[in-house]
Amino acid sequence: MTAAAAPDTRTLADFVIGMADNDLILAQQLGKLCGHGPNLETDIALTNISLDLFGQVRSCFQYAATLLGNGATEDTIAFLRKEHEYRNVLLVEQPSLDFGHIIVRQFLYDVFHHLLLERLQFSADETIAAIARKSIKETAYHVRFSADWLVRLGDGNDESRARAQAALDHLWPYADEWFLPTAVESAAAAAGIGADLPSLREPYQRKVAAVLREATLELPADTHFRKGGKQGIHTEHMGYILAEMQSMQRTYPGMQW
Amino acid sequence: MDATIPQQEIDPGLLAVLDAVSDPEIPVLSIVQMGVIRRAVSTGGNRVEVDITPTYSGCPAMDVIADDVRAALARAGFEAQVRLVLAPAWTTNWITPQGRAALEAYGIAPPLEASADKAALLGESKVVKCPRCGSTRTTLVSRFGSTACKALFKCDDCLEPFDYFKCLK
Ligand SMILES: [Zn+2]
């Protein structure tokens, strides 16, 4: 099979931004936990993961800014879009209701993120491949952390098990949206730049099932999967996240550190 | 894969200047010993180009390092253009032997080989050596430490907590 023609610059920029939006919103959610972790070590771990993700976002948005031109910067992309222009999946915007939710949300995303980066390492776009090769080393740590904690919670005591199961029941319906490609993602995949997303579903479910077995947790039956984030149709939680995340740029336009 | 990783390319005339710039988070280590400087070459006259690479994507020290490099070279009479490069991705293999020794003397256990590192971070084996007393009776406290590149351990003999520089390959 020969790769389709390279997508135009705008499509490429949209692809790069879309792939980083998941990391941006999750990093923001984790950053808010600074000082609120259940113990010092976990607190530090969650904020370290947040920092890794923000770093990966910066690499992506700096690249997207050069593609977009017209005065775009990593900051304008991160902070000055409207809610419907963010392409993150609904999972990452779900609230940190308790430590069970924080870990289940993290685990479900980390497994997908790692599989995605495994493919993007071989992207036909050199910059995307370089970012993926850098990021995958960090994401491998994230998966180990969240899988480890999921097993500890699930195979822990009655309280931790019940909370982890409740979080899984609540969040599993959000763990399929990323396999449904948008037009931009299909164009990128056809050009050998993006990943064939539907083909990640099977290895994803296998990996998740293996960890859940160890954690003695069960997937809810008859799941109706939710979607819409990648089309910019977000849940009610997104507005609150953006209001806080964008407040400095909106209050002091053009501010820099 | 490792064989294809290019070595640092630093003009001899610039080495001493750059080796005097320390890592902002680990002051005993120079950014050359850390492997963060990938390339530093003269491009004619007093102009030089320097490529730096981050240890971790979110490393907040990169902007400081770029500023420090420009300032140190300016003091030596050079005008430096500093570029951030992502590929090939940094690995702990690039920390020089002097760098590893400096880490240990500073109280940070240097990175182990990948397989030993994995076992250590899963709490499966006692191979991380306490930089204070040399004991290998040490226990993993947290896979994430004071900065992105470190994990937190404690020594079961001298009872001191210490940082372990995680292997990144
Ligand atoms: Zn000791």
Side-chain angles (χ1 to χ4, degrees):
Chain A
M1 199 178 90
T2 53
D8 59 74
T9 310
R10 176 74 222 192
T11 305
L12 184 57
D14 283 347
F15 174 70
V16 172
I17 292 169
M19 107 190 185
D21 273 347
N22 290 329
D23 304 312
L24 174 69
I25 299 304
L26 188 55
Q28 173 71 13
Q29 299 247 63
L30 294 174
K32 277 171 69 174
L33 296 171
C34 185
H36 298 277
N39 60 27
L40 186 62
E41 289 74 25
T42 315
D43 194 282
I44 291 171
L46 292 172
T47 42
N48 262 304
I49 293 170
S50 173
L51 189 62
D52 284 343
L53 294 176
F54 273 128
Q56 297 173 15
V57 171
R58 286 192 66 188
S59 298
C60 288
F61 285 0
Q62 283 167 3
Y63 180 40
T66 64
L67 294 169
L68 290 173
N70 273 328
T73 68
E74 53 182 309
D75 284 347
T76 64
I77 297 171
F79 298 119
L80 297 182
R81 281 180 289 158
K82 300 190 175 64
E83 182 179 314
H84 70 266
E85 295 170 310
Y86 286 83
R87 294 286 173 257
N88 57 283
V89 294
L90 301 177
L91 176 82
V92 295
E93 66 197 49
Q94 298 311 303
S96 308
L97 295 177
D98 62 7
F99 190 57
H101 277 78
I102 292 166
I103 290 300
V104 170
R105 183 182 65 198
Q106 193 65 37
F107 170 71
L108 293 176
Y109 180 63
D110 288 343
V111 175
F112 168 74
H113 193 201
H114 194 263
L115 284 168
L116 177 66
L117 293 173
E118 268 179 355
R119 301 287 177 91
L120 293 182
Q121 292 185 86
F122 305 107
S123 171
D125 184 284
E126 247 175 61
T127 308
I128 292 173
I131 295 171
R133 285 195 194 120
K134 181 88 203 149
S135 306
I136 195 167
K137 299 179 179 191
E138 297 156 4
T139 301
Y141 265 107
H142 305 169
V143 183
R144 274 200 238 162
F145 170 82
S146 58
D148 219 50
W149 266 104
L150 192 59
V151 172
R152 273 208 238 177
L153 294 179
D155 197 18
N157 60 27
D158 290 347
E159 176 74 12
S160 70
R161 188 179 187 289
R163 285 185 181 234
Q165 185 64 57
L168 187 62
D169 292 347
H170 180 191
L171 295 175
W172 178 246
Y174 297 98
D176 193 73
E177 183 184 0
W178 37 52
F179 302 124
L180 309 172
T182 61
V184 164
E185 287 170 330
S186 293
I193 290 170
D196 174 18
L197 296 171
S199 74
L200 299 178
R201 187 183 275 118
E202 196 273 327
Y204 179 83
Q205 294 184 345
R206 200 156 16 95
K207 166 80 182 174
V208 168
V211 176
L212 290 183
R213 212 172 303 124
E214 207 187 329
T216 71
L217 296 170
E218 278 166 26
L219 287 179
D222 302 328
T223 300
H224 173 68
F225 286 111
R226 304 274 313 264
K227 57 179 195 273
K230 286 161 72 165
Q231 283 71 41
I233 305 161
H234 292 283
T235 56
E236 67 273 25
H237 310 294
M238 187 68 173
Y240 295 97
I241 296 170
L242 292 184
E244 187 167 25
M245 190 177 85
Q246 297 186 337
S247 63
M248 292 297 280
Q249 272 299 335
R250 300 273 186 208
T251 312
Y252 304 100
M255 69 156 288
Q256 288 186 317
W257 289 113
Chain B
M1 181 95 181
D2 281 357
T4 65
I5 292 170
Q7 294 302 304
Q8 287 163 298
E9 180 194 351
I10 302 177
D11 279 1
L14 303 172
L15 185 60
V17 179
L18 292 170
D19 203 29
V21 178
S22 56
D23 183 306
E25 285 175 347
I26 311 170
V28 290
L29 211 59
S30 90
I31 52 174
V32 173
Q33 293 171 331
M34 190 71 178
V36 163
I37 302 275
R38 301 317 302 159
R39 184 173 155 273
V41 294
S42 166
T43 52
N46 67 340
R47 286 196 307 278
V48 295
E49 275 178 15
V50 181
D51 289 351
I52 59 177
T53 196
T55 53
Y56 280 71
S57 298
C59 180
M62 292 319 288
D63 291 338
V64 178
I65 290 175
D67 284 347
D68 289 352
V69 165
R70 267 188 294 268
L73 286 167
R75 279 193 301 275
F78 297 102
E79 193 191 316
Q81 231 191 349
V82 181
R83 213 163 54 119
L84 185 71
V85 295
L86 292 179
W90 183 84
T91 133
T92 38
N93 287 355
W94 292 356
I95 303 177
T96 63
Q98 303 94 297
R100 293 176 62 90
L103 275 177
E104 191 158 20
Y106 187 58
I108 299 173
L112 295 164
E113 270 309 298
S115 57
D117 174 88
K118 194 172 175 199
L121 291 179
L122 291 173
E124 284 169 355
S125 69
K126 302 212 171 253
V127 283
V128 174
K129 199 171 88 186
C130 168
R132 262 179 79 89
C133 74
S135 167
T136 51
R137 292 207 326 124
T138 60
T139 306
L140 172 73
V141 176
S142 172
R143 215 169 270 168
F144 293 86
S146 58
T147 63
C149 54
K150 288 176 251 155
L152 191 61
F153 275 74
K154 72 177 168 62
C155 176
D156 299 330
D157 278 321
C158 74
L159 304 180
E160 283 293 321
F162 65 91
D163 274 330
Y164 163 65
F165 206 111
K166 290 183 280 198
C167 172
L168 194 69
K169 266 183 111 165

